[in-house]
Amino acid sequence: MAKKSATRRKSTTQQLSSPGSAVRSTPIGDYGFLSDGEVSALLSPNGAIEWMCVPRFDSASVFGRILGREAGAFRIAPEDVLVPAEMRYLPGTMIIETSWGTPTGWIIVRDALIIGPWHHEDDRSKTYRRTPNDYEAEHMLVRTIRCVSGEVQTTMDCEPVFGYGKNHARWEYTGPGYHAGTASCDDGDVTVSLTSDMRIGFEGGQASTRTLLKQGDTRFVCLSWGGAVPVRTYQEAYDKQVWTAHHWQHWLARGRFPDHPWRGYLQRSALTLKGLTYAPTGAIAAAGTTSLPETPGGNRNYDYRFTWIRDATFALWGLYSLGFDWEAIDFFSFIADLVTDEQDIQIMYGIGGEKKLTEVELDWLPGYANSRPVRIGNAAYAQRQHDVWGALLDSVYLHFKAADHLDSRIWGILDAQVTEALKYWREPDAGIWEVRGELQHFTSSKIMCWVAVDRGAKIARMTGEDGKAAEWELAAQEIKDDILANGVDERGVLTQHYGTKALDASALLAPLVRFLPPDDPIIRKTVLAVADELTVNGLVLRYKVSETDDGFSGEEGSFTICSFWLVSALCEIGEYDRARKLCARLLSFAGPLDLYAEEIDAHSGQHLGNFPQAFTHLALINAVLHVIKLEADHQQIASGAWAGSVDVPDARDVSSGEDVPQP
């Protein structure tokens, strides 16, 4: 652990630049992630909020400096100091504490997107579709400052730029004195308000304060929106942060986490998934950002602030496994709302259930580390990807097994989507990676069509629909036979698609969804082939770009989700030592705050792609629980009787169509 801490301290001083460019940017993995379940923000180690969209995760940014220096930021820090002494989450929370040391003193800044008690007592929320909780977002970012020793000249600069950095703000004072103001622009309907116990001045589109803090002094700044009543005193700000901290700690206490050294990674992943959940609908956003590049200076830049149907199985698996049944039910209900009475479902939707996610390029933004284009929306929503039916029906099956209840809407969904899978499984598609090249008969898509029909048959059998079950069991066997005849090469390895010898990391899903038993030679050979041939420095690529027509140019980093899949798959085939070693290595690559982006550069260890990435954290949960379970089995065998206490779900069964632990 000491070695990792040293690496983390160093990482905040490194900068990332694109090839041939003087542009230097904060490493993606060094950002902190804040959320209130409706709005999220990224906090740079330099004390600046550099990404924040209002009033939803997928709204236009108010602070967008991560994609362009002129796109707005909100910084609090000592004057003339850029690197903090430490940046950490308060334990069990989504509140970030940054400690700053200067030659003359120390200050501590705490940042929180505030969550408070449910306040719709005399009216009904216009956005909530799920069962109301005891709490909800208060639509304010509260930043507190405390001088703990000496004296520190402290600055605050708040420069919102609306519309993804296009529309500069106009500030106006509100109330007497210099303690409150409102920012707006002519071309937009979003306004933000700033209140502070420091004196605020306006210079163009920037609101600023300059003050000397001495030991024992405290100050606050509150940014609010959407009609929220802002805090007016430091005590109010402190009380709001305490309530928010207790909320997160109480929420985390509901979970079930094994007593293990890796528990902290599971807890931070759970908090991150909760932070990426859009509370009004229960949707889990794939990531909190758009257009963070897979290659610095490259064009593999996408908007991930939407929800993918394929995330459903792993999301439900992770949430149920860790004891967060309510969140699992909310996400499943969101999915059910979308697909009920729908024959032709999409692969992805907006977090509010939107179906049209038109992709647009923002040509005025240079992008992170000069990585153009910056995109909003995602054209992949219109693609045909045949894995969607398997992901949906596996989640239906998992929900039914875990919750021991089948929603009245589910049978109609089941019948319609199994029918769709049977209608289209013989046709080519864009595959799990949403390639924009030629459609292919992707093997993983065929496997997920098999999952759709197999899970449909299982549910039919469990609910007494024996005729349907028998029909679908025969159809599932036909799909499996076709895959084994066309998607396996002469070595006995599952290939990327029919008619090629190329490998694809998505084949690692085969043992996880129980396409074949873990001891089947095809499974073992496939897992080891990916481990030995589709890795760079031990980290797994999605595929080799030289062998795949994906519609883009340039290289990409290793996909962290694929590396975690490999951990789980190695556990499945009994390669415990190799799995544990890889898992430990992947955990060592976590950002300073135990967060993960989409990719890790296999040479530098830098995080790449959108951040934080839900699918990566879901795969982490799956992999870590696999290893802990196998570790407990090994210790029990070695000792003859297990003397410890590791209470962990059977990671090999939860998403497999086998027994699921009951909540």
Side-chain angles (χ1 to χ4, degrees):
M1 295 300 292
K3 183 178 179 181
K4 183 178 181 182
S5 297
T7 301
R8 289 180 176 189
R9 284 193 295 272
K10 182 180 178 182
S11 69
T12 59
T13 66
Q14 296 174 335
Q15 298 290 311
L16 191 66
S17 59
S18 60
S21 168
V23 175
R24 305 182 71 80
S25 304
T26 298
I28 291 170
D30 283 8
Y31 282 93
F33 173 62
L34 301 170
S35 175
D36 61 10
E38 297 186 25
V39 165
S40 66
L42 293 187
L43 175 65
S44 170
N46 69 12
I49 300 290
E50 294 190 349
W51 179 255
M52 182 171 159
C53 302
V54 170
R56 296 188 350 173
F57 298 153
D58 57 351
S59 298
S61 65
V62 173
F63 304 118
R65 180 171 291 174
I66 196 170
L67 296 178
R69 293 197 59 80
E70 307 303 319
F74 179 13
R75 184 170 188 259
I76 296 177
E79 194 170 64
D80 301 325
V81 178
L82 293 176
V83 180
E86 185 182 24
M87 184 178 177
R88 65 167 189 144
Y89 280 110
L90 295 184
T93 78
M94 292 284 283
I95 296 177
I96 296 177
E97 179 181 87
T98 308
S99 301
W100 297 87
T102 75
T104 60
W106 287 77
I107 62 170
I108 295 175
V109 180
R110 285 182 176 172
D111 292 297
L113 281 162
I114 298 300
I115 296 175
W118 182 266
H119 60 263
H120 288 282
E121 297 300 336
D122 299 321
D123 65 339
R124 284 192 295 275
S125 170
K126 296 179 180 179
T127 58
Y128 262 77
R129 301 180 201 168
R130 306 277 74 87
T131 302
N133 291 296
D134 296 329
Y135 49 84
E136 66 177 311
E138 293 212 345
H139 304 151
M140 64 179 74
L141 169 67
V142 171
R143 314 189 71 180
T144 59
I145 316 161
R146 178 165 57 96
C147 184
V148 295
S149 68
E151 58 183 37
V152 178
Q153 190 70 42
T154 305
T155 66
M156 184 280 295
D157 295 312
C158 179
E159 185 178 14
V161 184
F162 300 99
Y164 296 107
K166 192 171 187 179
N167 303 316
H168 289 274
R170 179 181 62 253
W171 284 98
E172 296 179 355
Y173 285 112
T174 55
Y178 294 86
H179 296 288
T182 297
S184 60
C185 67
D186 295 330
D187 186 17
D189 55 2
V190 174
T191 62
V192 294
S193 297
L194 195 70
T195 59
S196 178
D197 51 3
M198 298 180 285
R199 289 181 292 276
I200 304 171
F202 303 137
E203 298 288 347
Q206 180 171 287
S208 301
T209 67
R210 303 285 184 270
T211 188
L212 180 67
L213 299 181
K214 299 182 178 181
Q215 183 172 333
D217 286 348
T218 57
R219 298 290 186 270
F220 84 92
V221 182
C222 173
L223 186 82
S224 58
W225 58 91
V229 178
V231 299
R232 298 289 180 179
T233 66
Y234 175 82
Q235 188 61 49
E236 284 185 58
Y238 176 80
D239 290 345
K240 293 281 189 186
Q241 287 189 339
V242 168
W243 203 102
T244 301
H246 288 169
H247 156 74
W248 286 114
Q249 290 167 342
H250 292 159
W251 180 83
L252 194 64
R254 283 178 35 217
R256 296 191 304 266
F257 298 94
D259 186 10
H260 189 276
W262 291 349
R263 176 177 56 198
Y265 295 100
L266 293 172
Q267 291 178 328
R268 181 50 54 193
S269 291
L271 286 163
T272 303
L273 291 174
K274 179 66 171 175
L276 288 169
T277 301
Y278 183 58
T281 64
I284 299 178
T289 57
T290 180
S291 298
L292 297 187
E294 295 177 13
T295 306
N299 65 353
R300 298 173 184 267
N301 317 319
Y302 312 103
D303 192 346
Y304 276 12
R305 296 170 298 161
F306 310 112
T307 191
W308 268 254
I309 296 293
R310 75 164 55 95
D311 291 4
T313 293
F314 277 92
L316 292 177
W317 186 95
L319 292 168
Y320 278 129
S321 295
L322 296 178
F324 296 108
D325 305 345
W326 295 348
E327 286 70 25
I329 291 170
D330 279 354
F331 185 39
F332 184 81
S333 297
F334 168 74
I335 298 294
D337 287 346
L338 291 173
V339 303
T340 298
D341 300 325
E342 292 288 331
Q343 193 78 15
D344 189 16
I345 61 173
Q346 298 178 189
I347 65 165
M348 58 190 289
Y349 295 87
I351 57 174
E354 296 82 8
K355 296 181 179 180
K356 191 173 183 180
L357 309 175
T358 304
E359 188 173 296
V360 177
E361 294 183 3
L362 307 183
D363 56 9
W364 61 88
L365 286 174
Y368 178 88
N370 253 2
S371 304
R372 296 176 183 265
V374 171
R375 297 181 174 97
I376 59 171
N378 196 313
Y381 83 93
Q383 286 186 351
R384 180 169 291 280
Q385 295 173 22
H386 293 171
D387 69 318
V388 66
W389 303 299
L392 174 63
L393 294 177
D394 202 23
S395 66
V396 171
Y397 181 74
L398 175 60
H399 176 70
F400 177 60
K401 293 284 287 185
D404 194 27
H405 170 69
L406 202 60
D407 189 301
S408 59
R409 299 170 292 180
I410 297 307
W411 183 256
I413 295 172
L414 185 72
D415 196 22
Q417 301 313 319
V418 171
T419 300
E420 287 294 288
L422 291 174
K423 180 179 178 181
Y424 290 108
W425 74 266
R426 292 180 180 85
E427 297 183 8
D429 75 327
I432 188 174
W433 305 125
E434 301 166 1
V435 300
R436 301 189 182 189
E438 183 182 355
L439 301 183
Q440 299 285 354
H441 290 278
F442 287 101
T443 303
S444 65
S445 295
K446 307 291 188 187
I447 289 174
M448 292 308 291
C449 286
W450 170 85
V451 169
V453 184
D454 175 77
R455 302 309 191 257
K458 281 183 166 62
I459 296 173
R461 187 71 71 186
M462 293 162 60
T463 54
E465 296 286 343
D466 293 337
K468 278 288 187 184
E471 175 189 341
W472 290 344
E473 285 164 357
L474 288 174
Q477 187 61 50
E478 181 185 2
I479 299 173
K480 178 178 287 189
D481 291 342
D482 188 79
I483 295 168
L484 296 178
N486 298 289
V488 180
D489 65 15
E490 63 272 13
R491 296 187 300 166
V493 172
L494 290 166
T495 60
Q496 182 184 60
H497 58 77
Y498 291 4
T500 184
K501 295 181 181 180
L503 294 174
D504 194 297
S506 61
L508 295 170
L509 291 173
L512 302 183
V513 299
R514 293 297 188 266
F515 175 68
L516 292 170
D519 59 357
D520 188 289
I522 291 176
I523 293 297
R524 182 170 184 82
K525 290 176 181 178
T526 299
V527 172
L528 294 179
V530 170
D532 296 337
E533 302 171 31
L534 199 60
T535 56
V536 177
N537 291 335
L539 302 183
V540 183
L541 304 173
R542 293 190 299 179
Y543 46 75
K544 293 181 180 179
V545 295
S546 60
E547 298 176 340
T548 304
D549 176 20
D550 61 9
F552 289 90
S553 60
E555 297 296 318
E556 64 179 16
S558 69
F559 261 58
T560 314
I561 183 176
C562 299
S563 296
F564 279 122
W565 282 349
L566 179 57
V567 171
S568 298
L570 287 168
C571 286
E572 292 283 344
I573 65 172
E575 293 285 339
Y576 166 69
D577 291 336
R578 192 169 181 177
R580 196 186 194 289
K581 184 180 295 186
L582 176 57
C583 194
R585 185 160 182 252
L586 290 169
L587 295 178
S588 76
F589 283 126
L593 298 177
D594 288 342
L595 299 174
Y596 287 84
E598 185 176 25
E599 301 181 22
I600 294 173
D601 185 290
H603 302 288
S604 69
Q606 292 284 1
H607 289 244
L608 298 169
N610 285 304
F611 181 83
Q613 180 84 3
F615 218 171
T616 304
H617 284 276
L618 290 166
L620 180 154
I621 293 170
N622 188 293
V624 168
L625 291 182
H626 263 87
V627 172
I628 294 176
K629 172 62 179 176
L630 208 56
E631 179 181 281
D633 291 347
H634 275 236
Q635 290 173 337
Q636 188 171 10
I637 293 170
S639 64
W642 173 233
S645 175
V646 179
D647 180 17
V648 59
D650 190 337
R652 292 162 293 179
D653 288 343
V654 176
S655 64
S656 68
E658 305 300 330
D659 291 339
V660 176
Q662 296 300 311

